[in-house]
Amino acid sequence: MNNLIDIANQFKPKDATQGAVANIQEFGHGNINHTFLVTLDNSTVKHFILQRINTQVFRQPELVMQNMSIFTNHVAQRLHHFPLPEVRRWEVPRVLLTQNDQNHFIDSDGSFWRAIAFIEGAQTFDTIQNDNHAREVGYALGMFHNLISDLPVEQLADTLPGFHITPTYLQQYADIKARYTIPTKSPELDYCLKFVRDRTTWAHILENAVKKGYLHLRPIHGDPKINNVMIDTATGQGISIIDLDTVKPGLIHYDIGDCLRSSCNPMGEETQRWEQVSFNTSICQLVLGGYLSVARDFLTERDYEYIYEAIRLIAFELGLRFFSDYLAGNIYFKVKYPEHNLARALVQFKLTESIESQEVSIRTMIEKMR
Ligand code: GN1
Ligand code: MG
């Protein structure tokens, strides 16, 4: 691989030509791509984000970049014609071009690199910090959907076929079970195997709703989990959703489910104490309230009907994806130890169980907010 500094220099903002790369460090804890924070010296631009895209996952990274630019241009237009109130800050992650005006750089190993402007004065959290934070996370997802609700979905490429289509993950799970030897039996493993078995038929629920014409494809974020929502450090406002790799056609229910399954799990998705994981309905109410404050105009009656199932399904689906990857030998998600994906799967399954046990109150809450 080329030297990281050489790669960073490819993307050094043009108005920072005097600046020198002072530091490059690993940043965040993404499960797929490699992310670095680049710090510049003697420059008006202090930082930018440098990423190596995992091309095993994103097979056509040029299309990922194309979707990002279609998204960014659309939102810029929208905000130009319909500016937000003065009191509201909203940031769109901006792609940085190379010295040759390309939106990516291929290094001598063939690795695919791209850079994104750093959003200053804001931060992300792995768990909800307070009521206002919960509302702002919901608001941010609502604003994100609102801003692209008039972007024709045909303009976006399908950069990750099968993404969030639960029946596809079930098929992959069945294939993996047939191909690999199941690790030594344990109560945790048995719990997971039974957990999936008991939910196989139900897991088609959202895709069946698409087939029936109840739900339809729209532009989505694809990964709006709590720690992709940026919060302004000074005002506490939700000001951006970062990580635009999975902006593509999908169901907004995948996004609603992903945002809620991650926000309403106060122990966070990396906890080791999986048996104590539970879904917090008070947080759910706040996040949904924030979401609906900017989403009502584009939601249909059918959309509301499937919100509960979406929350349950996306938690289950992520558990299934982690569990399958554990069985397959950890080939998709980055891991720190061999059972990491099993531990993550247990957290999501326990969360799903907690959602199921509170079905009536979650459904009633959604009804009341309609
Ligand atoms: C992956 O890499 P990261 O953390 O942005 C995954 C998401 C999962 C998430 C779970 C392309 O996202 O779908 O919800 O891990 N992204 C992809 O933390 O599979
Ligand atoms: Mg992501």
Side-chain angles (χ1 to χ4, degrees):
M1 189 179 76
N2 297 49
N3 184 315
L4 259 183
I5 297 187
D6 293 344
I7 297 168
N9 273 322
Q10 291 292 327
F11 294 98
K12 205 170 64 180
K14 300 216 175 51
D15 50 355
T17 37
Q18 303 306 313
V21 172
N23 184 31
I24 303 180
Q25 61 193 115
E26 290 230 27
F27 191 70
H29 18 239
N31 291 326
I32 311 286
N33 296 326
H34 277 89
T35 304
F36 301 90
L37 177 67
V38 179
T39 306
L40 300 170
D41 257 353
N42 300 322
S43 157
T44 41
V45 181
K46 296 276 172 266
H47 307 103
F48 67 89
I49 296 290
L50 179 66
Q51 289 184 300
R52 192 176 82 210
I53 303 302
N54 180 334
T55 47
Q56 294 293 348
V57 171
F58 297 104
R59 300 273 173 173
Q60 291 176 283
E62 313 77 27
L63 288 183
V64 170
M65 300 312 292
Q66 182 184 302
N67 278 357
M68 277 175 77
S69 90
I70 291 170
F71 162 86
T72 314
N73 292 339
H74 179 85
V75 174
Q77 288 284 324
R78 256 294 283 276
L79 291 173
H80 179 71
H81 293 295
F82 305 97
L84 297 181
E86 284 277 312
V87 291
R88 270 286 170 188
R89 175 182 177 200
W90 188 261
E91 303 277 352
V92 180
R94 192 166 46 86
V95 171
L96 301 180
L97 300 182
T98 63
Q99 307 310 332
N100 304 326
D101 286 331
Q102 302 300 304
N103 62 17
H104 65 273
F105 173 72
I106 311 266
D107 75 10
S108 53
D109 286 354
S111 292
F112 190 102
W113 294 86
R114 63 105 192 273
I116 312 279
F118 185 74
I119 300 175
E120 301 279 356
Q123 59 194 125
T124 62
F125 300 91
D126 290 331
T127 52
I128 291 291
Q129 307 294 301
N130 52 50
D131 288 4
N132 185 59
H133 183 208
R135 270 189 293 269
E136 288 297 321
V137 166
Y139 167 89
L141 182 61
M143 181 51 70
F144 188 95
H145 281 169
N146 192 326
L147 290 169
I148 50 173
S149 59
D150 58 343
L151 169 64
V153 70
E154 307 74 40
Q155 291 188 16
L156 296 176
D158 188 354
T159 46
L160 211 52
F163 190 55
H164 287 316
I165 301 193
T166 318
T168 309
Y169 294 113
L170 280 173
Q171 187 56 53
Q172 287 167 2
Y173 171 71
D175 294 346
I176 288 166
K177 277 206 307 176
R179 253 185 305 131
Y180 295 83
T181 14
I182 301 274
T184 335
K185 285 247 169 217
S186 70
E188 286 83 7
L189 194 87
D190 284 341
Y191 171 83
C192 290
L193 290 167
K194 180 168 171 11
F195 201 88
V196 178
R197 193 162 59 234
D198 290 347
R199 287 160 185 78
T200 309
T201 317
W202 158 76
H204 295 249
I205 185 132
L206 287 187
E207 300 315 312
N208 284 347
V210 175
K211 285 193 196 125
K212 288 185 202 147
Y214 295 168
L215 302 179
H216 56 277
L217 295 184
R218 293 160 161 157
I220 63 162
H221 180 280
D223 190 16
K225 55 180 176 181
I226 177 171
N227 58 13
N228 276 336
V229 179
M230 292 215 87
I231 302 294
D232 184 288
T233 318
T235 64
Q237 288 183 347
I239 55 134
S240 187
I241 308 194
I242 54 171
D243 186 4
L244 304 178
D245 293 325
T246 47
V247 167
K248 67 183 220 60
L251 298 181
I252 55 168
H253 290 75
Y254 304 152
D255 279 356
I256 298 171
D258 196 47
C259 186
L260 287 166
R261 66 112 197 126
S262 57
S263 300
C264 305
N265 168 9
M267 293 171 69
E269 66 181 69
E270 292 288 332
T271 180
Q272 294 292 320
R273 293 175 292 140
W274 65 277
E275 277 162 306
Q276 281 133 56
V277 168
S278 71
F279 183 87
N280 184 309
T281 52
S282 315
I283 297 179
C284 181
Q285 181 156 18
L286 293 162
V287 176
L288 259 184
Y291 180 77
L292 294 175
S293 73
V294 267
R296 287 194 193 279
D297 288 352
F298 60 82
L299 289 182
T300 66
E301 291 303 307
R302 291 283 190 205
D303 286 336
Y304 284 97
E305 284 169 26
Y306 282 91
I307 291 180
Y308 166 76
E309 296 290 11
I311 305 170
R312 179 183 171 204
L313 187 69
I314 297 300
F316 169 75
E317 178 194 277
L318 184 57
L320 172 66
R321 294 171 63 200
F322 284 141
F323 185 47
S324 300
D325 200 35
Y326 165 68
L327 295 177
N330 308 316
I331 49 182
Y332 186 95
F333 297 104
K334 286 191 247 165
V335 289
K336 297 210 168 81
Y337 56 94
E339 291 80 32
H340 198 164
N341 277 320
L342 176 62
R344 288 167 170 158
L346 288 164
V347 170
Q348 295 304 317
F349 287 156
K350 203 70 194 171
L351 188 66
T352 309
E353 218 180 286
S354 172
I355 295 165
E356 291 167 349
S357 72
Q358 301 179 86
E359 170 168 359
V360 176
S361 57
I362 299 171
R363 282 191 187 276
T364 311
M365 173 202 305
I366 297 167
E367 254 334 284
K368 284 197 188 136
M369 295 175 95
R370 271 167 90 146

